[in-house]
Amino acid sequence: MATGSTFTRHREIAWRGGRTISTSRLVAEESAIALTYNGSTHAVMMGTPADLEDFGVGFSLTEAIIDRANEIRSIELISNELGMEVRMWLDGDCAASLAARRRAISGPVGCGLCGIESLEQARRTPARVEGRGIAFHARDLLNAMQALSPLQTLNQQTRSVHAAALWHPRSGITLVREDVGRHNALDKLAGAIVRDGNSASGGAVLLTSRVSVEMVQKAAMIGAPVVVAVSAPTALAIQTANDAGITLLAVARDDGYGVFTHPRRVLLPEEAALRAGC
């Protein structure tokens, strides 16, 4: 059994086409990842043990624990037999604010709202995204989604992880982060954006997952004016994107996608725009 940092090779008995063969396949690693602040555990998530500095910074930003990356004084990765710890130390004001929130999360992948203490936290008002004067050609956004798959290195190996990517019209896809959890992938992307000194304000966030409300909330926290996703959105995600000023594109397939909110940022071909009444 050969092991990599993010995947492991396992033997399997495959039954396909009426035939049985002994073979092996690469499967994605999944580890417990504890996010601690100033010595106290705040969240324990299941995720892919890679890009964990990005994960720590991005989670802190998208969950409104910090406003700026430099409010984290230091970050350290600790590994043990149970999993990984992302150990962060915050500035005094942030640490005091976090302690006052008394929030603890413990949940599996795919669970983005575990452990919150009130309905108000679940339905928190999203950050308002400006994005004035920004508009992208419909075909360019479709081409961006089609360009993402070859860049998903871990998914090419395992076929079991999500990706979140940042795309700009001039430079294309500049950042890709992968994880077994869709929320984790987006948090990792958020952290990578700020740690690289980049911004999401002039481009689009690409997602290989469905669009639930917390995905929109996280995109709003990093100022992404456009979100494009492979799968469908929920009704609350659409409402939240509309309130946040985010252009939400979903059900992105080889032949197109649906525009659910703020269509002014999507430059459709003239005849399509006329038919859609845009």
Side-chain angles (χ1 to χ4, degrees), residues 65-117:
I65 294 170
I66 61 174
D67 293 321
R68 299 176 304 278
N70 61 10
E71 291 173 334
I72 299 177
R73 296 203 315 265
S74 66
I75 184 168
E76 183 182 7
L77 303 183
I78 307 296
S79 176
N80 59 46
E81 66 277 8
L82 297 178
M84 298 288 298
E85 179 184 346
V86 183
R87 187 176 294 176
M88 291 168 281
W89 293 89
L90 304 178
D91 285 341
D93 290 343
C94 290
S97 177
L98 179 60
R101 286 170 59 174
R102 294 181 298 108
R103 184 180 184 205
I105 305 173
S106 180
V109 296
C111 185
L113 296 174
C114 297
I116 60 174
E117 296 179 340

Side-chain angles (χ1 to χ4, degrees), residues 222-263:
I222 59 173
V226 176
V227 173
V228 190
V230 168
S231 297
T234 66
L236 185 54
I238 294 172
Q239 178 186 330
T240 304
N242 187 63
D243 293 343
I246 290 175
T247 298
L248 177 58
L249 285 63
V251 200
R253 300 291 187 263
D254 289 342
D255 61 343
Y257 43 72
V259 184
F260 290 85
T261 58
H262 300 284

Side-chain angles (χ1 to χ4, degrees), residues 186-229:
L186 182 51
D187 282 335
K188 288 179 178 181
L189 177 69
I193 289 171
V194 299
R195 294 181 73 221
D196 284 359
N198 292 327
S199 170
S201 61
V205 166
L206 314 179
L207 303 173
T208 64
S209 63
R210 68 183 177 88
V211 190
S212 51
V213 60
E214 64 273 28
M215 299 295 277
V216 175
Q217 290 170 336
K218 289 177 181 292
M221 291 298 291
I222 59 173
V226 176
V227 173
V228 190

Side-chain angles (χ1 to χ4, degrees), residues 4-255:
S5 60
T6 53
F7 58 83
T8 305
R9 182 172 293 278
H10 284 265
R11 294 185 61 186
E12 68 170 330
I13 298 174
W15 184 68
R16 299 186 185 280
R19 298 179 57 208
T20 301
I21 60 172
S22 178
T23 183
S24 65
R25 68 178 296 120
L26 298 176
V27 298
E29 290 284 358
E30 183 179 18
S31 299
I33 302 169
L35 299 165
T36 69
Y37 298 93
N38 291 34
S40 298
T41 300
H42 175 78
V44 179
M45 310 296 286
M46 299 303 298
T48 301
D51 301 309
L52 295 184
E53 294 95 339
D54 292 339
F55 184 35
V57 174
F59 180 92
S60 303
L61 284 167
T62 65
E63 293 297 315
I65 294 170
I66 61 174
D67 293 321
R68 299 176 304 278
N70 61 10
E71 291 173 334
I72 299 177
R73 296 203 315 265
S74 66
I75 184 168
E76 183 182 7
L77 303 183
I78 307 296
S79 176
N80 59 46
E81 66 277 8
L82 297 178
M84 298 288 298
E85 179 184 346
V86 183
R87 187 176 294 176
M88 291 168 281
W89 293 89
L90 304 178
D91 285 341
D93 290 343
C94 290
S97 177
L98 179 60
R101 286 170 59 174
R102 294 181 298 108
R103 184 180 184 205
I105 305 173
S106 180
V109 296
C111 185
L113 296 174
C114 297
I116 60 174
E117 296 179 340
S118 69
L119 293 175
E120 287 76 14
Q121 285 179 328
R123 292 290 303 273
R124 70 178 189 263
T125 302
R128 183 74 184 180
V129 175
E130 293 300 329
R132 294 178 181 176
I134 294 176
F136 305 128
H137 289 284
R139 172 56 63 177
D140 289 344
L141 291 169
L142 183 60
N143 290 343
M145 287 300 292
Q146 292 172 340
L148 177 55
S149 181
L151 301 178
Q152 294 176 241
T153 305
L154 181 55
N155 194 58
Q156 294 286 344
Q157 299 280 353
T158 65
R159 301 296 179 184
S160 62
V161 298
H162 291 293
L166 179 65
W167 172 86
H168 280 279
R170 292 183 179 177
S171 50
I173 296 175
T174 57
L175 286 169
V176 180
R177 291 294 182 268
E178 296 180 276
D179 198 279
V180 292
R182 57 196 174 94
H183 309 97
N184 300 346
L186 182 51
D187 282 335
K188 288 179 178 181
L189 177 69
I193 289 171
V194 299
R195 294 181 73 221
D196 284 359
N198 292 327
S199 170
S201 61
V205 166
L206 314 179
L207 303 173
T208 64
S209 63
R210 68 183 177 88
V211 190
S212 51
V213 60
E214 64 273 28
M215 299 295 277
V216 175
Q217 290 170 336
K218 289 177 181 292
M221 291 298 291
I222 59 173
V226 176
V227 173
V228 190
V230 168
S231 297
T234 66
L236 185 54
I238 294 172
Q239 178 186 330
T240 304
N242 187 63
D243 293 343
I246 290 175
T247 298
L248 177 58
L249 285 63
V251 200
R253 300 291 187 263
D254 289 342
D255 61 343

